[in-house]
Amino acid sequence: MNTTRWQQLISLREAREAREAREAPNGAWRPRFFRPAREDDAEELGRLLHDDARIEIFDTIDRQLADLVKTRHPRERLGERDIARLVGERLNGVPIEAYGVWVYYPWSHRLVHLLDEAEFVELRTDRNKHKISGEEQAALARRRVGVVGLSVGQSVAMTIALERGAGELRLADFDHLDLSNLNRIRTGAHNLDLPKVVATAREIAELDPFLDVKCFPEGVTADNIDRFLLDGGKLDVLVDECDSLDIKLLLRANARAHRIPVVMETSDRGLIDVERFDLEGDRPILHGLVGDLTPERLRGLSTEDKVPYVMQIIGQDAISLRLRASLIEVQQSVSTWPQLGSAVVHGGAAAADTARRIALGEPVRSGRYYVDLEQLIGGPEGEPAAADAPRAPGPALAAAAGPLPAAEAGAVELDPARLRRLVAAGVAAPSGGNCQPWLWVHEGRRLGLFHDRARSESLADFQGAGGVVALGAAAENVVLAAHREGLSVRVSPFPREGDEDLAATFAFFGAPPPGAEEHLMDGLADAIGIRHTNRRPGQRAPLAEEHRAALRAAVESVPGARLELLEAPAELDEIGALIGAGDRLRMLARQTHADMMREVRWTEAEAEARRDGLFVGTLELSPTDLAGFKICRDYRALELVRRWGGGRGLERMAQKAIRCATAVGLITLPRARPTDYFQGGRAVERAWLTAAQLGIAVYPMTTLPYLFARLIRGRGEGLDAETAEAATGLRERYLRLFDVTDATAEVLLFRLSLAGPVSARSLRRPLDDVLVVR
């Protein structure tokens, strides 16, 4: 574009802005009326036409009059002469140019010749009959409706205006129109950057200039809410479509105080929410879903932080599949939750219809109503498949396992109380997902530890190696507890050739026999009862040298075991990114997602009844993360996220966890045999008990090592090609952090931190469920 043309455009824009500031400022939404039958109006209209050559004139008064007389004679078939006669009678000698009213819209420089108010309203609402009777239309003309929030609310307000469902509309929104709003707000691109209230009021004025519209371009605030609800007469219906959660609560508290009914539409699944505060003055706000939540707690929250409260208000299980998937992507691939034009228009119509029937005194009850087009047209989405519960533990495995190896000479018999104390120590050990994959069998003078594989094997745990680690940790606890009881112990890992279900046998002695366990770690026994997973966030702080040495010594007291620690900030940031990416892969793959959801206990009652798995309260999630995690229960939502190439938000929890890490550790053994993982479990428990004594929080984060085990030793068996390819890329980065090979048993990857006390601890199944005495 040449410079002259560019300068011309700038001058044109400046002139336009100056003219609009003078003649039709951004706040202008009221048209001007000229009735030429009045001398003053006729003179002023003449001056307007003389002074402004830009005015466009639209004069169809003859057709309006013809339409009016036809609607007044519905039973007659009027010809052109009949219509002309009736129009002439209506004019009664008044020149047609002077009949009715000329309406000037300063923002568009349009001058429109219309029937005056009574005839205009009569003709414009004629097609409402008798869905809205004449008496009802007259009653609605006396009603006042307020609309707060003008995205969905614009559609509500326009529909009320179309039907003339109110005589007065009060509109409130502090926001201006952005281009991204035009996917759901029906207005022209020329209105961009206008206050939404002004744009909506202008649209209404162009539809019906006689409607009384009052605008609150500052939105509703604590300072003006009484004016919005009460000035000029109390509202008959309040329609809430605002995004500000604190204002939602403020609106309802004040509406309840003034006995004003509230209608809300969510533009998802056609939900219409009705609260008849006019009939139920003590009705809980939002049907009691928000408890004692106050506006102050919600004010100023980011879009991300609003998500849990939106879930609380709308209902976790009530939102559509696509909205659930989209919420996972908020502030990742989308800036905020989406709204579709079709849903907004549909919801606007439903809310306007509901408001009209309330205003007319029809029996609309408080409650939530769904007009879900996806459910009504094309059939229901269907419910997600329920996760399978782990199979019943114990006796069947014990019966199938056959007798334990013969008791060793000199082994002592355990009395029932002592046996239960030892096994209780064993089951206090950690296990992946708190699956507790153990069955203890006491026979003669032998205690056997069996691997209940149905409880531990999953796609994320190749060949049940993680379960074997748990059995090794349990064995370590039994040894420590036996030493505390004054007993010596001989542990025999995998004593039967070819039988990997029998993970270990224990023989107990009064005096140490050859091959008995050493007593070097006996001081850890007292930590068995205090050891637990701690996922709480804390502050990143350097690991004390004496703590580092103690942890390393605990691990390396198991022959062949080694501890690697990442402590540099750049290393921690990188491992946080890798762990987060691994979590994303696990969540987005159908089988690993199912395995994970099978581990979770969503309520305290469920956790208490099952006494296994991960109670969601132990995950130490923020309200926002908890809301997101609950959304992730339904794989159908994640399947959509995967299809969209999204899911980066699924990495956030791990990254947040590592941001407050003192260090990230990896415990390894040189080979990846069952015996190595068993010994690795013992090293894990020694390190964890040491950390418990030192006041260091431990948080296992094991997805990556066991995903890599399947990728390397299982050649990706069970992984889809996309997941396997992504995992291969992660492995390359991981190898830059840790000194491991494809032959290494990567036993446990974990976070160390300085964190406060946990909100809840994982439970253990009753001993009678896991101990069989023959």
Side-chain angles (χ1 to χ4, degrees), residues 111-124:
L111 182 65
V112 185
H113 195 181
L114 296 174
L115 297 173
D116 214 339
E117 184 170 2
E119 292 177 341
F120 178 93
V121 172
E122 175 190 345
L123 182 56
R124 201 175 77 72

Side-chain angles (χ1 to χ4, degrees), residues 421-433:
R421 287 196 298 272
L422 296 180
V423 173
V427 302
S431 57

Side-chain angles (χ1 to χ4, degrees), residues 495-518:
R496 279 204 293 241
E497 186 76 27
D499 182 2
E500 292 186 357
D501 283 343
L502 179 56
T505 57
F506 303 81
F508 303 95
F509 302 88
E517 290 287 321
E518 296 181 344

Side-chain angles (χ1 to χ4, degrees), residues 116-370:
D116 214 339
E117 184 170 2
E119 292 177 341
F120 178 93
V121 172
E122 175 190 345
L123 182 56
R124 201 175 77 72
T125 61
D126 180 73
R127 295 293 291 272
N128 288 357
K129 299 175 183 176
H130 289 288
K131 288 193 170 184
I132 303 175
S133 70
E135 292 79 6
E136 289 172 330
Q137 201 75 66
L140 290 172
R142 299 188 293 272
R143 301 293 185 261
R144 305 175 187 90
V145 177
V147 182
V148 182
L150 292 172
S151 289
V152 176
Q154 193 255 13
S155 186
V156 178
M158 290 301 299
T159 306
I160 291 173
L162 278 171
E163 292 184 351
R164 258 195 168 255
E168 179 189 326
L169 279 169
R170 297 177 198 166
L171 308 178
D173 197 312
F174 64 87
D175 207 359
H176 286 228
L177 276 167
D178 293 325
L179 184 56
S180 61
N181 298 143
L182 298 192
N183 78 316
R184 60 195 185 279
I185 297 179
R186 193 212 69 82
T187 193
H190 60 281
N191 282 329
L192 289 175
D193 202 37
L194 269 183
K196 288 180 180 178
V197 288
V198 172
T200 304
R202 287 180 178 181
E203 297 275 1
I204 292 171
E206 290 172 356
L207 168 71
D208 187 333
F210 303 105
L211 266 174
D212 185 9
V213 178
K214 293 182 171 63
C215 290
F216 289 72
E218 71 276 23
V220 168
T221 67
D223 294 331
N224 73 4
I225 188 166
D226 282 344
R227 185 159 55 90
F228 182 80
L229 296 177
L230 304 174
D231 270 15
K234 186 175 73 172
L235 289 180
D236 294 286
V237 182
L238 170 62
V239 180
D240 166 34
E241 299 300 340
C242 71
D243 289 337
S244 300
L245 299 183
D246 58 315
I247 298 300
K248 283 186 178 294
L249 297 188
L250 183 67
L251 284 169
R252 283 162 175 77
N254 284 268
R256 183 171 64 181
H258 296 298
R259 306 297 288 264
I260 299 171
V262 178
V263 175
M264 177 178 70
E265 201 283 332
T266 65
S267 70
D268 184 65
R269 294 191 62 212
L271 169 61
I272 296 291
D273 186 277
V274 179
E275 295 169 278
R276 293 302 303 267
F277 297 127
D278 54 327
L279 304 178
E280 307 162 83
D282 57 352
R283 182 174 185 81
I285 287 173
L286 285 164
H287 316 290
L289 293 171
V290 296
D292 59 357
L293 198 60
T294 63
E296 290 72 25
R297 283 175 56 190
L298 299 174
R299 194 166 294 130
L301 293 179
S302 68
T303 299
E304 178 186 352
D305 290 335
K306 289 178 183 177
V307 170
Y309 299 105
V310 171
M311 295 296 95
Q312 193 173 340
I313 290 169
I314 299 177
Q316 173 72 42
D317 299 325
I319 62 176
S320 68
L321 183 63
R322 283 192 177 252
L323 182 56
R324 279 181 244 174
S326 298
L327 288 174
I328 296 170
E329 290 297 291
V330 167
Q331 296 192 337
Q332 297 298 319
S333 61
V334 293
S335 59
T336 185
W337 42 79
Q339 293 174 304
L340 289 179
S342 56
V344 167
V345 172
H346 168 60
D353 179 89
T354 304
R356 183 191 71 244
R357 289 188 287 116
I358 291 173
L360 290 173
E362 295 185 15
V364 178
R365 296 186 300 275
S366 295
R368 295 198 144 175
Y369 305 90
Y370 292 88

Side-chain angles (χ1 to χ4, degrees), residues 394-423:
L397 176 61
L404 295 177
E408 300 182 47
V412 300
E413 181 69 51
L414 297 177
D415 64 75
R418 177 176 271 182
L419 171 64
R420 293 178 71 86
R421 287 196 298 272
L422 296 180
V423 173

